[in-house]
Amino acid sequence: MAISNGMISLTLSPPLPSSNKPPPNSISTSINTIRVAFQGSPGAYSEFAAKTAIPSCTTLPCRSFSDAISSLSLNLADHAILPVESTMEGTALRNYDFLLRHPLFITQEINLFVHYCLLAIPGVLPTHLKTVISHPMALAHCHRSLTRLGLNRQPVEDTAGAVEMLLDNRLLDTAAIASPRAAQLYGLNVLAHGLQDESWNVTRFLILSKHPNNNNNNNIVDPLTPAAAAAGAAAANHDEQIVIRKTSIVIAHRGGCMLVILKVLKAFSSRNLNMTKLEVINHDEEEEGKSPVMILDVRLDGKKGSLRAFPHVLYVDFEGSMEDFRVREAIDEISKFSVFVRILGTYSADPNVYDLHY
Ligand SMILES: O=C(O)C(=O)Cc1ccccc1
């Protein structure tokens, strides 16, 4: 079945049996199955990340990330998942833009090892290949390998979609870069494993929701408090995993980037709050071809304002939750010298990196 001109596929994939342990404090429900929308076809890395983060979930494949977000407003999905950065390429700014343009909150993060395979229709030999198709991030992560193989690159929406394209069009001179799972799912041959240019290739995905995560789980402790130290000792004894809460914010400011960065660092360091990410985006209006970052004004009380353009933006992640007074104080301080602050959400830090099982 399809809705709104068939843009959103309504096929819900069943939960994936996984030998990976779910991440701490992963979202779970005993009554309703959680539905996670992702951009791509079944077998995409995002789908695997969703099922690793929330093992009992069903997944909703969507043609674009906008469709995945629409599925939240249409109540077809409870969450959407988005790859936001990788160890090989840093922040995927385009995906962050999606997040900033919508009234969404981060409720969980998940880190996944990404192994790429070269897949082709059975019978196709490496010598037959002229072109390779895949998600732009996959093509970038395999840049050196593809240059060595002398293949033309063609970006498509997602890795599993590339596999579908091979099959739908019976492309006999083209390969796709996708996961071993996609190879199994679609019955393609794996011509090469481990195509990524660096063996340590981890992608960080964010799980997004219409509502902020107000999880007051007792296992969750704010770092750097006596409770954290005590919980740490207890966990070490019982082999438990401590869950550290993280918060992501976006700060926009006018000019004088260095001074703003120093003030932001001081707001966190003076309160003993550990930063895990600081990324500065400067999109000067005068600079040709660069558009300012568009950010939707959304507050934790759910009120949303207008979409505003900012040329200078800082993405900051730090350890600590919005329930911690030091975090609230730091954000208050930052609000005094920046033109705009948006809180993207507090969620549990993922201490693991999950692997696809071949
Ligand atoms: O295309 C996919 O399979 C995705 O889920 C996006 C993606 C692409 C490459 C690495 C991680 C996620």
Side-chain angles (χ1 to χ4, degrees):
M1 183 166 54
I3 59 153
S4 66
N5 67 20
M7 290 299 277
I8 298 174
S9 152
L10 285 181
T11 330
L12 287 175
S13 307
L16 177 80
S18 166
S19 50
N20 279 324
K21 257 174 47 181
N25 191 35
S26 65
I27 305 159
S28 66
T29 177
S30 51
I31 307 164
N32 297 316
T33 307
I34 289 184
R35 302 156 303 169
V36 184
F38 68 98
Q39 189 228 307
S41 298
Y45 292 100
S46 299
E47 183 184 42
F48 191 80
K51 288 185 173 182
T52 306
I54 310 171
S56 62
C57 77
T58 51
T59 47
L60 179 65
C62 298
R63 206 175 286 170
S64 66
F65 191 67
S66 302
D67 283 355
I69 291 176
S70 305
S71 72
L72 294 183
S73 3
L74 293 169
N75 208 19
L76 295 169
D78 308 294
H79 301 280
I81 190 163
L82 180 68
V84 286
E85 60 188 72
S86 72
T87 46
M88 285 186 67
E89 280 222 298
T91 301
L93 289 176
R94 202 172 145 257
N95 290 357
Y96 245 101
D97 276 1
F98 273 121
L99 166 57
L100 301 181
R101 281 167 199 239
H102 295 91
L104 297 173
F105 295 93
I106 304 169
T107 54
Q108 199 175 334
E109 69 171 359
I110 176 107
N111 301 316
L112 195 73
F113 269 116
V114 171
H115 302 272
Y116 294 114
C117 297
L118 192 68
L119 311 182
I121 289 176
V124 171
L125 300 175
T127 47
H128 298 157
L129 296 177
K130 291 198 178 82
T131 304
V132 63
I133 55 176
S134 196
H135 186 281
M137 204 145 84
L139 294 174
H141 290 171
C142 303
H143 182 82
R144 283 204 302 274
S145 305
L146 296 177
T147 306
R148 218 174 26 247
L149 292 169
L151 297 175
N152 299 319
R153 285 145 238 201
Q154 213 174 294
V156 294
E157 288 300 316
D158 71 290
T159 57
V163 169
E164 282 185 332
M165 203 176 283
L166 285 192
L167 288 167
D168 290 350
N169 300 295
R170 281 217 48 85
L171 300 176
L172 302 177
D173 62 354
T174 304
I177 299 176
S179 69
R181 190 169 159 255
Q184 267 177 6
L185 208 61
Y186 294 89
L188 287 200
N189 273 357
V190 179
L191 298 181
H193 274 284
L195 217 60
Q196 62 275 5
D197 293 337
E198 284 170 26
S199 54
W200 180 266
N201 181 31
V202 176
T203 298
R204 177 180 178 226
F205 294 82
L206 297 178
I207 296 193
L208 310 172
S209 169
K210 280 191 289 184
H211 309 288
N213 184 352
N214 292 323
N215 198 332
N216 290 318
N217 189 319
N218 285 337
N219 284 332
I220 296 166
V221 287
D222 283 319
L224 305 168
T225 61
N237 285 339
H238 297 98
D239 199 24
E240 277 171 20
Q241 209 161 40
I242 292 263
V243 180
I244 290 184
R245 300 285 271 169
K246 260 168 93 172
T247 300
S248 296
I249 61 172
V250 187
I251 302 162
H253 62 94
R254 285 206 182 87
C257 198
M258 272 308 177
L259 190 59
V260 171
I261 294 172
L262 284 174
K263 286 179 174 175
V264 169
L265 290 174
K266 185 182 146 282
F268 289 108
S269 67
S270 63
R271 294 175 176 87
N272 241 354
L273 292 167
N274 189 26
M275 270 169 124
T276 55
K277 175 188 175 93
L278 171 63
E279 179 137 0
V280 184
I281 308 297
N282 281 314
H283 282 185
D284 274 322
E285 289 105 314
E286 290 94 55
E287 236 181 290
E288 231 176 274
K290 291 224 174 165
S291 48
V293 182
M294 302 295 289
I295 307 179
L296 185 71
D297 187 358
V298 182
R299 296 204 302 265
L300 277 178
D301 58 14
K303 295 219 173 80
K304 72 175 185 204
S306 50
L307 202 57
R308 294 157 67 187
F310 298 104
H312 310 288
V313 172
L314 266 70
Y315 300 113
V316 183
D317 291 355
F318 53 92
E319 291 179 351
S321 88
M322 287 303 293
E323 282 147 38
D324 183 335
F325 74 95
R326 294 168 307 153
V327 169
R328 291 196 300 272
E329 272 183 13
I331 292 175
D332 279 351
E333 186 174 315
I334 292 166
S335 307
K336 289 190 184 121
F337 59 80
S338 49
V339 289
F340 177 87
V341 179
R342 177 164 150 199
I343 297 155
L344 294 174
T346 290
Y347 49 95
S348 302
D350 182 2
N352 303 310
V353 176
Y354 298 85
D355 208 347
L356 276 171
H357 290 280
Y358 295 99

